[in-house]
Amino acid sequence: MNFSLLFFLLNLPYWVCLLHPETKKNAGNNYRNSIFCFSFFSFLSMLQLSEMVMAIVVVVLLATTKGVKSRKAREDLDYFEYCAMSCRAHSASLAEFGGVGDGSTSNTKAFQAAINHLSQYQSDGGAQLFVPPGKWLTGSFNLTSHFTLYLHKDAVLLASQEESEWPVIEPLPSYGRGRDTDGGRFISLIFGTNLTDVVVTGDNGTIDGQGELWWQKFKKGELKYTRPYLIEIMYSENIQISNLTLINSPSWNVHPVYSSNVLVQGITILAPVTSPNTDGINPDSCTNTKIEDCYIVSGDDCIAVKSGWDQYGIAFGMPTKQLVIRRLTCISPFSAVIALGSEMSGGIQDVRAENILAIDSESGVRIKTAVGRGGFVKDIYVRGVTMKTMKWAFWMTGNYGSHADNGYDPNALPVIQNINYHDMVAENVTMAAKLEGIPGDPFTGICISNVTITLAKKAKKLPWNCTDVAGISSGVVPQACGLLVDQGPSNVAACNFPEESLPIDNVQVQVCSYRRKHL
């Protein structure tokens, strides 16, 4: 029997439930939906149903949800309401600027013409651009300040596969080169720099990166420049990215960089788990950022916290700090749910992650660094994580040796300290933890408490593998390695989690409205 096929069939009801549009339509409920779907699948598994019965269940699921959408009254496309950090005084539809949503006509010029026109209202209450139902093929376009881009739930932005529609820009100064190749990089599909007050949102409208062509070029070594991302905002402040579905990105999906006051909410990200570098959300040298209520299936890290690469990141010197991550559901069989690094040379500090559900992922929390990185990862707080089928629950590595070039300083050693993990449950885990510091530069201040890990039937004989680390543990099953000194069961609250809120938690959204106006 083909066991891969059998595994797929046995998991099929869970995937249908989790990925069905009606299940994930309300992105703010992704965390609860995932728990429901996983519980549903677990119930089926306990009953040991045959593949045939499970297939019948799938048909029933689809049949019972098929008519829901059709029963809803068609909304008025000339007026609707939504929540955002800022509301706008002026409105327009992409169709008013020659946009054609047939899936084959290029709308790059229409998007840029609309945004250029609406930019005149920056100082007059701002403006919003509505993307109506349809398939809107487009290359890259640039946003403007005091601006909202809103996608209707039946709107799909299709990323052009013509390289001529993707201008090439300079590499990020904190990286010194592109991630895929030396030199420049293709600009992102939705791009903005030096902006203030920008909202990219919708009623769960879709942005399709059509990444297969880019993935194949990358694998074959045919790229002259680094692949584009779907959304990148640089050197900006007061940014909201929310209530969208992003699929098949050529590379990273959401990349706020050198920015502050960034809110990412209710985002669904889907990519084949074998697709290269399709990271979900990568806050990079950003301050005061919140990521919450997101569902991510990825070929790479679901959340990757970054701050520059080797000597370039050290010289740029802009850390990522004051980052909140909560209510995240992630599936990433070959990478991490939350990764810190490996490009962390500008530093990472004060990261708070809680209420995370990880399913079928390589590792829960991973710290990646190396000799030559410099920088620091410190004051990391993670609690309330549930992990289902993992290779490692915890992973730290000091030998992640990918370098920008040979100009890095071999004496630039990273500082990893005050790492706190508590209140976690994991099941079907191959190995509890692999914690590898750097000889002569140990990772210190590690605290793991109130963590229960159930190992898989074919787990590693050594559940904990620790070298060049130091810290404490309490209430950990199976018992942590000796380098994390056991404090006894009475100290399960040893690992702290800051109770004071960060400024980003004080940002309020308001009810905004769109009313079509012919400009």
Coordinates of all heavy atoms in Angstrom, one line a residue, residues 411-475:
N411 N 34.6 37.4 14.4 CA 34.6 37.7 15.8 C 33.2 38.3 16.3 O 33.1 38.7 17.5 CB 35.7 38.7 16.2 CG 37.1 38.0 16.0 OD1 37.3 36.9 16.3 ND2 38.0 38.8 15.3
A412 N 32.3 38.5 15.4 CA 31.0 39.0 15.7 C 30.1 37.9 16.2 O 29.5 37.1 15.5 CB 30.4 39.7 14.5
L413 N 30.0 37.8 17.6 CA 29.3 36.7 18.2 C 27.9 37.2 18.6 O 27.8 38.3 19.2 CB 30.0 36.1 19.4 CG 31.4 35.5 19.0 CD1 32.1 35.0 20.3 CD2 31.3 34.4 18.0
P414 N 26.9 36.5 18.4 CA 25.5 36.9 18.8 C 25.4 36.7 20.3 O 26.0 35.8 20.9 CB 24.6 36.0 18.0 CG 25.4 34.8 17.8 CD 26.8 35.2 17.6
V415 N 24.5 37.5 20.9 CA 24.1 37.4 22.3 C 22.7 36.8 22.4 O 21.8 37.5 21.9 CB 24.2 38.7 23.1 CG1 23.7 38.6 24.5 CG2 25.7 39.2 23.1
I416 N 22.5 35.7 23.0 CA 21.2 35.0 23.1 C 20.9 34.9 24.6 O 21.6 34.1 25.3 CB 21.1 33.7 22.4 CG1 21.7 33.7 21.0 CG2 19.7 33.1 22.4 CD1 21.0 34.7 20.1
Q417 N 19.9 35.6 25.1 CA 19.7 35.6 26.6 C 18.3 35.9 26.9 O 17.6 36.6 26.2 CB 20.7 36.5 27.3 CG 20.5 38.0 27.0 CD 21.5 38.8 27.7 OE1 22.6 38.4 28.1 NE2 21.1 40.1 27.9
N418 N 17.9 35.4 28.1 CA 16.5 35.7 28.6 C 15.4 35.2 27.7 O 14.6 36.0 27.1 CB 16.3 37.1 29.0 CG 15.0 37.3 29.8 OD1 14.6 36.4 30.5 ND2 14.4 38.5 29.8
I419 N 15.4 33.9 27.5 CA 14.4 33.2 26.6 C 13.5 32.4 27.5 O 13.9 31.5 28.2 CB 15.1 32.3 25.6 CG1 16.3 32.9 24.9 CG2 14.1 31.7 24.6 CD1 16.0 34.1 24.1
N420 N 12.2 32.8 27.4 CA 11.2 32.2 28.4 C 10.1 31.5 27.6 O 9.4 32.1 26.8 CB 10.6 33.3 29.2 CG 11.6 34.1 30.0 OD1 11.9 33.7 31.2 ND2 12.2 35.2 29.5
Y421 N 9.9 30.2 28.0 CA 8.8 29.4 27.4 C 8.1 28.7 28.5 O 8.7 28.1 29.4 CB 9.4 28.3 26.5 CG 10.3 28.7 25.4 CD1 11.4 27.9 25.0 CD2 10.0 29.8 24.7 CE1 12.2 28.3 24.0 CE2 10.9 30.2 23.6 CZ 11.9 29.4 23.3 OH 12.8 29.8 22.2
H422 N 6.8 28.9 28.6 CA 6.0 28.2 29.6 C 4.5 28.0 29.2 O 4.1 28.6 28.2 CB 6.1 28.9 31.0 CG 5.4 30.2 31.1 ND1 4.3 30.4 31.9 CD2 5.6 31.4 30.5 CE1 3.9 31.7 31.8 NE2 4.7 32.3 31.0
D423 N 3.9 27.1 29.9 CA 2.5 26.7 29.7 C 2.3 26.2 28.3 O 1.6 26.8 27.4 CB 1.5 27.9 29.9 CG 1.6 28.4 31.4 OD1 2.1 27.7 32.2 OD2 1.1 29.5 31.7
M424 N 2.9 25.1 28.0 CA 2.8 24.5 26.6 C 2.5 23.0 26.7 O 2.9 22.3 27.7 CB 4.2 24.7 25.9 CG 4.6 26.2 25.7 SD 6.0 26.3 24.7 CE 6.3 28.1 24.7
V425 N 1.9 22.5 25.7 CA 1.5 21.1 25.5 C 1.9 20.7 24.1 O 1.6 21.4 23.1 CB 0.1 20.8 25.8 CG1 -0.3 19.4 25.6 CG2 -0.3 21.3 27.2
A426 N 2.6 19.6 24.0 CA 2.9 19.1 22.7 C 2.7 17.6 22.6 O 2.9 16.9 23.6 CB 4.4 19.4 22.3
E427 N 2.3 17.1 21.5 CA 2.1 15.6 21.4 C 2.6 15.1 20.0 O 2.7 15.9 19.1 CB 0.6 15.3 21.5 CG -0.3 15.9 20.5 CD -1.8 15.5 20.7 OE1 -2.3 15.7 21.8 OE2 -2.4 15.1 19.7
N428 N 3.0 13.8 20.0 CA 3.5 13.2 18.8 C 4.8 13.9 18.4 O 4.8 14.3 17.2 CB 2.5 13.1 17.7 CG 2.8 12.1 16.6 OD1 3.5 11.1 16.9 ND2 2.4 12.4 15.4
V429 N 5.7 14.1 19.3 CA 6.9 14.9 19.0 C 8.1 13.9 18.9 O 8.3 13.0 19.7 CB 7.2 15.8 20.2 CG1 8.5 16.6 20.0 CG2 6.0 16.8 20.3
T430 N 8.9 14.1 17.8 CA 10.1 13.2 17.6 C 11.2 13.5 18.6 O 11.8 12.5 19.1 CB 10.6 13.5 16.2 OG1 9.6 13.2 15.2 CG2 11.8 12.5 15.9
M431 N 11.4 14.7 19.0 CA 12.4 15.1 19.9 C 12.0 16.3 20.7 O 11.6 17.3 20.0 CB 13.8 15.3 19.2 CG 14.9 15.5 20.2 SD 16.5 15.6 19.2 CE 17.7 15.6 20.6
A432 N 12.1 16.4 22.0 CA 11.6 17.5 22.8 C 12.3 18.8 22.4 O 11.7 19.8 22.2 CB 11.7 17.2 24.3
A433 N 13.6 18.7 22.4 CA 14.4 20.0 22.1 C 15.8 19.6 21.6 O 16.4 18.6 22.0 CB 14.5 20.8 23.4
K434 N 16.3 20.5 20.8 CA 17.6 20.5 20.3 C 18.2 21.9 20.5 O 17.8 22.9 19.8 CB 17.7 20.1 18.8 CG 19.1 20.0 18.3 CD 19.0 19.5 16.8 CE 20.4 19.2 16.3 NZ 20.3 18.8 14.8
L435 N 19.0 22.1 21.5 CA 19.5 23.4 21.9 C 21.0 23.5 21.8 O 21.7 22.9 22.6 CB 19.0 23.8 23.4 CG 17.6 23.5 23.7 CD1 17.3 23.9 25.2 CD2 16.6 24.3 22.8
E436 N 21.4 24.1 20.8 CA 22.9 24.2 20.4 C 23.4 25.6 20.4 O 23.1 26.3 19.5 CB 23.1 23.5 19.1 CG 22.7 22.1 18.9 CD 22.8 21.6 17.5 OE1 22.3 22.3 16.6 OE2 23.4 20.5 17.3
G437 N 24.1 26.0 21.5 CA 24.7 27.3 21.5 C 26.0 27.3 20.8 O 26.3 26.4 20.0
I438 N 26.8 28.3 21.0 CA 28.1 28.5 20.3 C 29.2 28.3 21.3 O 29.2 28.9 22.4 CB 28.2 29.9 19.7 CG1 27.1 30.1 18.6 CG2 29.6 30.1 19.1 CD1 27.0 31.5 18.1
P439 N 30.1 27.4 21.1 CA 31.2 27.2 22.0 C 31.9 28.5 22.3 O 32.3 29.2 21.4 CB 32.2 26.2 21.3 CG 31.3 25.5 20.3 CD 30.2 26.5 19.9
G440 N 32.1 28.8 23.6 CA 32.7 30.0 24.1 C 31.7 31.2 24.0 O 32.0 32.3 24.5
D441 N 30.5 31.0 23.6 CA 29.4 32.0 23.5 C 28.1 31.3 23.8 O 27.2 31.3 22.9 CB 29.4 32.7 22.1 CG 28.4 33.8 22.0 OD1 28.1 34.5 23.0 OD2 27.8 33.9 20.9
P442 N 27.9 30.8 25.0 CA 26.7 30.1 25.3 C 25.4 30.9 25.3 O 25.5 32.1 25.5 CB 27.0 29.5 26.7 CG 27.9 30.4 27.3 CD 28.8 30.9 26.2
F443 N 24.3 30.3 25.0 CA 23.0 30.9 25.1 C 22.6 30.9 26.6 O 22.5 29.8 27.2 CB 22.0 30.3 24.2 CG 22.3 30.2 22.8 CD1 21.5 29.5 21.9 CD2 23.3 31.0 22.2 CE1 21.8 29.4 20.5 CE2 23.6 31.0 20.9 CZ 22.9 30.2 20.0
T444 N 22.3 32.0 27.2 CA 22.0 32.0 28.6 C 20.6 32.5 29.0 O 19.9 33.1 28.2 CB 23.1 32.9 29.3 OG1 23.0 34.2 28.9 CG2 24.5 32.4 29.1
G445 N 20.3 32.3 30.3 CA 19.0 32.8 30.7 C 17.8 32.1 30.1 O 16.7 32.7 30.0
I446 N 17.9 30.8 29.7 CA 16.8 30.1 29.2 C 16.0 29.6 30.3 O 16.5 29.0 31.3 CB 17.3 28.9 28.3 CG1 18.2 29.4 27.2 CG2 16.2 28.1 27.8 CD1 18.9 28.4 26.4
C447 N 14.7 29.7 30.2 CA 13.7 29.3 31.2 C 12.6 28.6 30.6 O 11.9 29.1 29.7 CB 13.2 30.5 32.1 SG 12.1 30.0 33.4
I448 N 12.4 27.3 30.9 CA 11.3 26.5 30.4 C 10.5 25.9 31.5 O 11.0 25.2 32.4 CB 11.8 25.4 29.5 CG1 12.6 26.0 28.3 CG2 10.6 24.6 28.9 CD1 13.2 24.9 27.4
S449 N 9.2 26.2 31.6 CA 8.4 25.7 32.8 C 7.0 25.3 32.3 O 6.4 25.9 31.4 CB 8.3 26.8 33.9 OG 7.5 27.9 33.5
N450 N 6.4 24.4 33.1 CA 5.1 23.9 32.9 C 4.9 23.5 31.4 O 4.0 24.0 30.7 CB 4.0 25.0 33.3 CG 2.6 24.4 33.4 OD1 2.5 23.2 33.6 ND2 1.6 25.2 33.2
V451 N 5.7 22.6 31.0 CA 5.6 22.1 29.6 C 5.5 20.6 29.6 O 6.3 19.9 30.2 CB 6.9 22.5 28.8 CG1 6.9 21.9 27.4 CG2 7.0 24.1 28.7
T452 N 4.5 20.1 28.9 CA 4.3 18.6 28.8 C 4.4 18.2 27.4 O 3.7 18.7 26.5 CB 3.0 18.2 29.4 OG1 2.9 18.6 30.8 CG2 2.8 16.7 29.3
I453 N 5.4 17.3 27.1 CA 5.7 16.9 25.7 C 5.5 15.4 25.7 O 6.1 14.6 26.4 CB 7.1 17.2 25.3 CG1 7.3 18.8 25.3 CG2 7.4 16.7 23.9 CD1 8.7 19.2 25.1
T454 N 4.5 14.9 24.8 CA 4.3 13.5 24.6 C 5.1 13.1 23.4 O 4.8 13.6 22.3 CB 2.8 13.2 24.5 OG1 2.1 13.7 25.6 CG2 2.6 11.7 24.3
L455 N 6.0 12.2 23.5 CA 6.8 11.8 22.4 C 6.1 10.8 21.5 O 5.2 10.0 21.9 CB 8.1 11.1 22.9 CG 9.0 12.1 23.8 CD1 10.2 11.3 24.4 CD2 9.5 13.3 23.0
A456 N 6.5 10.8 20.2 CA 6.0 9.9 19.2 C 6.5 8.5 19.5 O 7.5 8.2 20.2 CB 6.4 10.4 17.8
K457 N 5.8 7.5 18.9 CA 6.2 6.1 19.0 C 7.6 5.9 18.6 O 8.4 5.0 19.1 CB 5.2 5.2 18.3 CG 3.8 5.2 18.9 CD 2.9 4.2 18.2 CE 1.5 4.2 18.8 NZ 0.6 3.2 18.1
K458 N 8.0 6.6 17.5 CA 9.4 6.4 17.0 C 10.2 7.6 17.3 O 11.0 8.2 16.5 CB 9.3 6.2 15.5 CG 8.6 4.9 15.1 CD 8.7 4.6 13.6 CE 8.1 3.3 13.2 NZ 8.1 3.1 11.7
A459 N 10.2 8.1 18.5 CA 10.9 9.3 19.0 C 12.4 9.0 19.1 O 12.8 7.8 19.2 CB 10.4 9.8 20.3
K460 N 13.2 10.0 19.1 CA 14.6 9.8 19.4 C 14.8 9.3 20.8 O 14.1 9.6 21.7 CB 15.3 11.2 19.2 CG 15.3 11.8 17.8 CD 16.1 11.0 16.8 CE 16.1 11.7 15.5 NZ 16.9 11.0 14.5
K461 N 15.9 8.5 21.0 CA 16.2 7.9 22.3 C 16.5 9.0 23.3 O 16.2 8.9 24.5 CB 17.3 6.9 22.2 CG 16.9 5.6 21.4 CD 18.0 4.6 21.4 CE 17.6 3.4 20.6 NZ 18.7 2.4 20.6
L462 N 17.2 10.1 22.8 CA 17.6 11.2 23.7 C 16.6 12.3 23.4 O 16.6 13.0 22.4 CB 19.0 11.6 23.3 CG 19.5 12.8 24.2 CD1 19.7 12.3 25.6 CD2 20.8 13.3 23.6
P463 N 15.6 12.5 24.4 CA 14.6 13.5 24.1 C 15.1 15.0 24.1 O 14.6 15.8 23.5 CB 13.6 13.3 25.3 CG 14.4 12.6 26.3 CD 15.4 11.8 25.7
W464 N 16.2 15.2 24.9 CA 16.8 16.6 25.0 C 18.2 16.5 24.6 O 19.0 15.6 25.1 CB 16.7 17.1 26.4 CG 15.3 17.5 26.8 CD1 14.3 16.6 27.2 CD2 14.7 18.8 26.9 NE1 13.1 17.3 27.5 CE2 13.4 18.7 27.3 CE3 15.2 20.1 26.6 CZ2 12.5 19.8 27.5 CZ3 14.4 21.2 26.8 CH2 13.0 21.0 27.2
N465 N 18.6 17.4 23.7 CA 20.0 17.4 23.3 C 20.5 18.9 23.5 O 20.1 19.8 22.7 CB 20.2 17.0 21.8 CG 21.6 17.0 21.4 OD1 22.5 17.3 22.2 ND2 21.9 16.6 20.1
C466 N 21.3 19.2 24.5 CA 21.7 20.5 24.9 C 23.2 20.7 24.9 O 23.9 19.8 25.5 CB 21.1 20.9 26.2 SG 19.4 20.7 26.4
T467 N 23.7 21.7 24.2 CA 25.2 22.0 24.3 C 25.3 23.5 24.3 O 24.6 24.2 23.6 CB 25.9 21.4 23.1 OG1 25.3 21.9 21.9 CG2 25.9 19.9 23.1
D468 N 26.2 24.0 25.2 CA 26.5 25.4 25.2 C 25.3 26.3 25.5 O 25.1 27.3 24.8 CB 27.2 25.9 24.0 CG 28.6 25.1 23.7 OD1 29.5 25.3 24.6 OD2 28.7 24.4 22.7
V469 N 24.5 25.9 26.4 CA 23.3 26.6 26.9 C 23.3 26.6 28.4 O 23.9 25.7 29.0 CB 22.0 26.1 26.3 CG1 22.0 26.2 24.8 CG2 21.7 24.7 26.8
A470 N 22.6 27.6 29.0 CA 22.5 27.6 30.4 C 21.1 28.2 30.8 O 20.6 29.1 30.1 CB 23.6 28.4 31.1
G471 N 20.5 27.7 31.9 CA 19.2 28.2 32.3 C 18.6 27.3 33.3 O 19.2 26.5 34.0
I472 N 17.3 27.4 33.5 CA 16.5 26.6 34.4 C 15.3 26.0 33.8 O 14.8 26.4 32.7 CB 16.1 27.5 35.7 CG1 15.2 28.6 35.2 CG2 17.3 28.0 36.4 CD1 14.6 29.4 36.4
S473 N 14.7 25.0 34.5 CA 13.5 24.4 34.0 C 12.7 24.0 35.3 O 13.2 23.9 36.4 CB 13.8 23.2 33.2 OG 14.5 22.2 34.0
S474 N 11.4 23.9 35.1 CA 10.5 23.5 36.2 C 9.2 22.9 35.6 O 8.6 23.5 34.7 CB 10.2 24.7 37.0 OG 9.3 24.3 38.1
G475 N 8.8 21.7 36.1 CA 7.6 21.1 35.6 C 7.6 20.8 34.2 O 6.6 21.0 33.5

